[in-house]
Amino acid sequence: AQRVTQPEKLLSVFKGAPVELKCNYSYSGSPELFWYVQYSRQRLQLLLRHISRESIKGFTADLNKGETSFHLKKPFAQEEDSAMYYCALGSHGYSSASKIIFGSGTRLSIRP
Amino acid sequence: NAGVTQTPKFQVLKTGQSMTLQCAQDMNHEYMSWYRQDPGMGLRLIHYSVGAGITDQGEVPNGYNVSRSTTEDFPLRLLSAAPSQTSVYFCASSSVQGVGTDTQYFGPGTRLTVL
């Protein structure tokens, strides 16, 4: 069964400090991992996906299949990073079994 | 493109009432899904569809029905509302090219309160 775990409900760091939002997953197949972000009064939107291997707004995330993790990192937090972050897991392939599930989310609060 | 639209934005129901939450997308996406967002529980998948005429249950399907008669629309029906269904509901869609792997586009959400 697919499962996504985000152990931290709230993460508060000072501006300029490093940020790491944890995400662990459970899936027997070939996983596709995503990070979505929801800023205040805005729609949920994609931040990054592991297959792209890109850095968005200074954030990066590396898929570690050995540890089944996909932690989101940023070396220097900015106040505009304050938001709700969700890790998501999709199953590869086109079938009725394909679906995307989300973790419980981590609220990131950046203190000035 | 309007993207993913949802109606209504807000709704208050009494226990036992029925209603349909509407969701439409104009991106020709095959994959559509419904989530509910509750504090501390994140987004939980209710139902999803990989194309017209095909639907499947997600993590929390009880109390909800869906149908997919067209590619564009994916309504969510509450047959007999219960207070436990008080939540914010999000509809999302993505392309079929990589179902389960492609970017999902979300609607603005419907805030439902069941008294």
Side-chain angles (χ1 to χ4, degrees), chain B residues 36-115:
Chain B
R36 57 177 291 174
Q37 184 183 45
D38 302 292
M41 307 195 74
L43 286 162
R44 290 181 292 170
L45 182 64
I46 304 172
H47 286 285
Y48 64 104
S49 169
V50 297
I54 306 170
T55 65
D56 207 345
Q57 296 181 349
E59 303 168 277
V60 288
N62 292 343
Y64 308 95
N65 281 348
V66 292
S67 59
R68 186 90 181 273
S69 56
T70 68
T71 299
E72 294 78 19
D73 301 297
F74 190 43
L76 179 71
R77 297 184 186 84
L78 284 73
L79 297 179
S80 179
S84 60
Q85 293 178 304
T86 294
S87 186
V88 180
Y89 291 84
F90 289 98
C91 179
S93 74
S94 64
S95 73
V96 75
Q97 195 66 30
V99 170
T101 67
D102 210 343
T103 302
Q104 289 213 90
Y105 294 87
F106 282 83
T110 294
R111 187 174 295 273
L112 176 68
T113 301
V114 182
L115 303 175

Side-chain angles (χ1 to χ4, degrees), chain A residues 64-82:
Chain A
N64 186 324
K65 290 187 177 182
E67 295 182 357
T68 59
S69 68
F70 189 57
H71 303 327
L72 183 68
K73 300 177 183 179
K74 184 169 182 176
F76 307 104
Q78 297 172 301
E79 289 186 65
E80 54 264 34
D81 295 330
S82 293

Side-chain angles (χ1 to χ4, degrees), chain A residues 20-54:
Chain A
E20 182 179 46
L21 285 75
K22 291 184 168 50
C23 172
N24 289 90
Y25 69 91
S26 175
Y27 183 59
S28 58
S30 178
E32 297 287 345
L33 277 302
F34 307 81
W35 277 99
Y36 282 81
V37 60
Q38 188 175 28
Y39 300 104
S40 179
R41 301 184 186 280
Q42 292 188 27
R43 300 189 186 199
L44 201 68
Q45 58 187 283
L46 178 71
L47 180 62
L48 55 80
R49 48 191 299 201
H50 93 268
I51 197 170
S52 302
R53 297 182 181 275
E54 58 194 344

